[in-house]
Amino acid sequence: METNKILSADILDIVFDGRNKDYGAYQLRKSYNKRLSIALISTASVCILLFAGYILANSFNKKDDAKEMVVQDVQLEEIKQEEKREEPPPPPPPKPPEPPKVEMAKFTPPKIVKDEEVKEDEKPPEVEKLEETKIGTVNQEGVKDEGIVAPPVEDAGKGVVEAPKKVEEDWDKTFTKVEIESEYPGGAAAWQRYLNKTLRYPQEAIDNEVQGTVVIQFIVDKEGMVSEVEAISGPEELRAEAIRVIKKSGKWEPAVQNGRKVKSYKKQPIVFRLETEG
């Protein structure tokens, strides 16, 4: 481009000087401002149309709503609440009818006296009247005796206390608590001699240095025979030997309850102890 034309030339012509201006980039840049103006005007026109339509639509809706909307004043009726009535309490149950009084005739042991000394109210009743009348210590009017048990006549302050009924003890049951417990014949000394003679320390317990007390529970019947032998505590290695010793112990002295020999439970401890050297 010539020097005198540079100052008056467009910047786009300077950039594309000596190039193919028919190329699309030149045309796009050349018409850029025009296209931008058209786009802005078109966008503004669309916005104006939308805004105007929105305003017109609201104005029509307000007119329609004003015609259709009708407000009425409604007065609500007051609802009367029914007062709760307290129900009267149920009547008390009727009293049971009192048993009818049985006709009674006073009868006292006869006394040998003269006829003129016997008062009229002390004469014994006739035999015919006693068939339908209860015999008592006072004369009482009432219904005829038809098997009705008459209530007891008050004894004028004399208290009659009935002796308590004796409860029979079930002597065949197995007692857990007794007055005198069963024991080995001969007492503690004889029991210790029996253990020293019969007890065998298990070899497994000796090897493992196991010692302690085994409690054996069993039943001693009225004849002193032992049954239901079981170990309830103690080392497991020693229980079998303790059970064997009890089963082999023979007859025991039975327990005593109220002066009678009874069948009872017995708990017997057996002590296993290893001797220490030195």
Side-chain angles (χ1 to χ4, degrees):
M1 180 177 288
E2 297 178 1
T3 306
N4 56 353
K5 294 181 179 180
I6 292 175
L7 297 175
S8 60
D10 186 69
I11 187 66
L12 192 61
D13 293 331
I14 296 172
V15 172
F16 281 90
D17 183 37
R19 298 182 182 183
N20 186 8
K21 293 183 179 180
D22 295 332
Y23 184 63
Y26 177 77
Q27 295 298 331
L28 289 174
R29 295 190 180 189
K30 189 73 175 177
S31 61
Y32 175 75
N33 293 332
K34 182 180 179 180
R35 288 185 289 105
L36 180 61
S37 300
I38 293 171
L40 291 174
I41 294 171
S42 301
T43 302
S45 301
V46 171
C47 291
I48 292 170
L49 291 174
L50 291 174
F51 183 71
Y54 175 75
I55 293 174
L56 291 173
N58 285 340
S59 62
F60 285 121
N61 289 336
K62 287 180 180 179
K63 291 179 180 180
D64 294 339
D65 294 342
K67 292 179 181 178
E68 295 178 359
M69 188 173 180
V70 178
V71 179
Q72 294 182 351
D73 187 11
V74 180
Q75 188 174 1
L76 299 177
E77 295 181 0
E78 294 183 0
I79 300 175
K80 295 182 180 180
Q81 294 183 352
E82 296 182 0
E83 296 181 358
K84 293 184 179 180
R85 296 180 180 179
E86 294 184 359
E87 297 182 0
K95 294 182 179 180
E98 295 182 357
K101 292 184 178 181
V102 180
E103 184 178 352
M104 298 179 64
K106 183 178 179 180
F107 187 85
T108 55
K111 296 180 181 179
I112 302 173
V113 294
K114 295 180 180 180
D115 292 340
E116 60 271 9
E117 295 179 0
V118 179
K119 298 179 181 179
E120 188 65 27
D121 57 347
E122 293 181 354
K123 291 183 179 180
E126 298 178 1
V127 178
E128 291 79 4
K129 292 184 178 181
L130 295 178
E131 293 179 356
E132 297 179 352
T133 307
K134 285 282 185 182
I135 297 174
T137 57
V138 294
N139 291 321
Q140 176 178 289
E141 295 183 358
V143 297
K144 299 294 183 181
D145 180 22
E146 296 178 353
I148 302 173
V149 179
V153 181
E154 295 184 0
D155 56 357
K158 295 179 180 179
V160 179
V161 180
E162 185 179 355
K165 295 182 180 179
K166 204 170 185 179
V167 180
E168 291 292 333
E169 191 76 56
D170 184 10
W171 301 107
D172 293 329
K173 72 177 183 180
T174 304
F175 287 78
T176 55
K177 292 183 179 180
V178 289
E179 294 174 353
I180 302 176
E181 288 193 1
S182 58
E183 64 175 358
Y184 187 77
W191 173 248
Q192 190 62 44
R193 288 194 298 271
Y194 169 75
L195 288 179
N196 294 336
K197 179 181 177 181
T198 311
L199 189 64
R200 300 173 186 173
Y201 215 112
Q203 187 62 42
E204 181 183 359
I206 295 174
D207 296 338
N208 296 325
E209 296 183 356
V210 177
Q211 58 183 350
T213 302
V214 179
V215 178
I216 303 296
Q217 178 177 278
F218 53 98
I219 293 176
V220 180
D221 61 14
K222 298 177 185 179
E223 287 74 29
M225 301 303 296
V226 173
S227 62
E228 298 186 20
V229 183
E230 61 176 344
I232 59 175
S233 67
E236 291 291 337
E237 296 89 345
L238 304 174
R239 292 190 178 191
E241 178 60 17
I243 292 173
R244 185 190 70 83
V245 168
I246 294 295
K247 287 182 177 180
K248 198 178 178 182
S249 60
K251 286 188 176 184
W252 287 55
E253 292 291 337
V256 177
Q257 180 72 12
N258 292 335
R260 292 190 179 187
K261 294 181 179 180
V262 294
K263 183 180 180 182
S264 67
Y265 284 98
K266 174 70 175 179
K267 291 182 180 179
Q268 182 65 44
I270 299 178
V271 180
F272 290 81
R273 186 172 299 158
L274 293 171
E275 295 181 358
T276 56
E277 296 181 358

